[in-house]
Structure formats: C-alpha cells, structure tokens
Amino acid sequence: MHPDLQKILLTENQIRSRVTEVAKLVDKALSGKRPVAVGILKGSIIFYADFIRCLTVPLELDFMAVSSYGAGSVSSGKLKIRKDLDGDVRGRDIVVIEDIIDSGFTLACLKKLLTERGAASVTIVTLLDKHERRTEDIKPDYNCFEIPDEFVVGYGLDYNEEYRSLPYIGILKRSVYEK
Ligand code: IMP
Ligand code: MG
C-alpha cells in the first residue's frame, strides 16, 4: 500500500468485478443504440477505459474537462468547461462516465448542458458515490460503489495531480492534506 494512504477501500479485484457487472447492465440498456461515451477528464480515464471495454454496443468516444466553482460557494455556481466535446450531441444517446459524485454539482450542470444541446438521452455512470455530501437533486443512473465521506485517491482519482496511477482506491491520510 502507498505510504500516504490510511487504508485501501477498494481492491483491484473488487473494482474489476463490480465495473464489469455495472457495464453489462448499461450495455443491455443501450442495446440497439450507438451511444457516445463521454469521459470527464481526468479522473475518469481509468474507469472509462475499463468500463467501455465491457460494452458490446457500437460506441463513439468523446471527452470533456470541467471545473466547478459551484457547490457551496454563493458567488458563482458555474461550471467552467476547460475542454469541450469534439462531436455534436444533438439527437445522440450520451453516456457520461465520471469518477465520483460528491455534491452532485458537476453532474447536475453537465446533464443540463447536454440536454440543452439536444441530446436524445443522458445516462450517468459513476464509479463512486459519496451520497452523504449531496446538495444537488441528482442521482447517477448507475453507480459502482457507495463510499463514506472520506477523501479517496487512486484508479484515476488524484490529490494535487498525484496518486492517479494507483491500481486500487484508498483513503488518503489526513496528514497529507492538512499540512
Ligand atoms: P461534485 O461536483 O461536488 O459532485 O464533485 C465531483 C468532483 O470532485 C469529482 O469529479 C472529483 O474531481 C472531485 N472529488 C470529490 N471527492 C473526491 C475525492 O474523494 N477524491 C478525489 N476527487 C474528488
Ligand atoms: Mg472529476
């Protein structure tokens, strides 16, 4: 285990089997369609890569990078798009693939945006759900793991751009971010 971690929350095996299980459900629900898999950079990349390889429907891949200044702050409430999609979503079935839903602000904004742009449907798939912290009225259509209100890293998730390449998900020691 990485020395900055307090404990491993989800092992590689746990992640692999649950991601496969959820992907099969999504695959079934999308049968007959040609969806666009939208990965939210950068946190979702490892989940995205594993997830889409379990799908059998023909897929297009696209990516967005966003930062939120919303949740909790009164002054803004805006989602900043740092990299937009390459393709047009009008009339398309979109599967948004995100690492973690926390307040729900990011995904609530994205869902609204994609709907306004004319997407035929928006399906939200998350790897992790910190449901205790939700402030927005949004629920992922599919979620792999409910997790407690702890700061987690690994399998794509970072703290200050570190730890993304760990193959498992762990709880970061408080001393790492409280110093
Ligand atoms: P939301 O808009 O509050 O739902 O925030 C979602 C975003 O916050 C995610 O895409 C992550 O980038 C980040 N985030 C929230 N909790 C964690 C965590 O425990 N580890 C790493 N990133 C997190
Ligand atoms: Mg993110």
Side-chain angles (χ1 to χ4, degrees):
M1 178 174 87
H2 192 291
D4 291 352
L5 298 183
Q6 183 189 310
K7 74 167 202 181
I8 292 180
L9 192 61
L10 298 164
T11 64
E12 281 186 75
N13 280 337
Q14 284 174 305
I15 298 169
R16 188 180 314 111
S17 74
R18 179 63 179 151
V19 167
T20 307
E21 183 179 64
V22 171
K24 282 185 179 154
L25 295 175
V26 176
D27 197 46
K28 218 179 216 167
L30 292 171
S31 149
K33 306 210 153 129
R34 189 191 168 80
V36 185
V38 172
I40 310 306
L41 298 173
K42 304 172 206 171
S44 77
I45 57 154
I46 298 179
F47 173 46
Y48 184 97
D50 285 344
F51 185 84
I52 63 167
R53 282 182 289 175
C54 299
L55 301 180
T56 62
V57 289
L59 273 183
E60 279 178 45
L61 314 191
D62 212 337
F63 299 91
M64 272 181 109
V66 297
S67 21
S68 58
Y69 304 110
S73 80
V74 215
S75 53
S76 94
K78 284 239 165 76
L79 190 76
K80 185 179 175 196
I81 298 174
R82 288 188 282 114
K83 183 233 174 283
D84 208 339
L85 296 169
D86 290 334
D88 190 353
V89 301
R90 188 161 299 277
R92 304 299 306 267
D93 296 296
I94 308 297
V95 184
V96 175
I97 299 173
E98 171 67 310
D99 54 358
I100 181 165
I101 178 165
D102 186 23
S103 69
F105 182 80
T106 306
L107 285 171
C109 289
L110 277 175
K111 185 166 189 172
K112 184 162 172 277
L113 179 79
L114 296 169
T115 305
E116 281 168 5
R117 287 184 180 178
S121 66
V122 180
T123 303
I124 294 176
V125 182
T126 49
L127 174 68
L128 306 173
D129 184 350
K130 263 192 211 176
H131 56 282
E132 288 165 53
R133 290 181 35 97
R134 196 67 37 80
T135 58
E136 306 303 307
D137 181 22
I138 184 157
K139 206 175 167 284
D141 299 289
Y142 300 89
N143 171 56
C144 299
F145 300 98
E146 299 265 353
I147 63 162
D149 181 11
E150 300 274 9
F151 199 86
V152 295
V153 295
Y155 197 71
L157 289 105
D158 75 309
Y159 173 67
N160 274 345
E161 295 302 325
E162 223 182 307
Y163 316 108
R164 291 196 197 274
S165 58
L166 296 177
Y168 47 78
I169 293 170
I171 299 177
L172 195 60
K173 282 181 183 162
R174 288 189 170 269
S175 56
V176 175
Y177 54 90
E178 281 176 353
K179 68 184 174 206

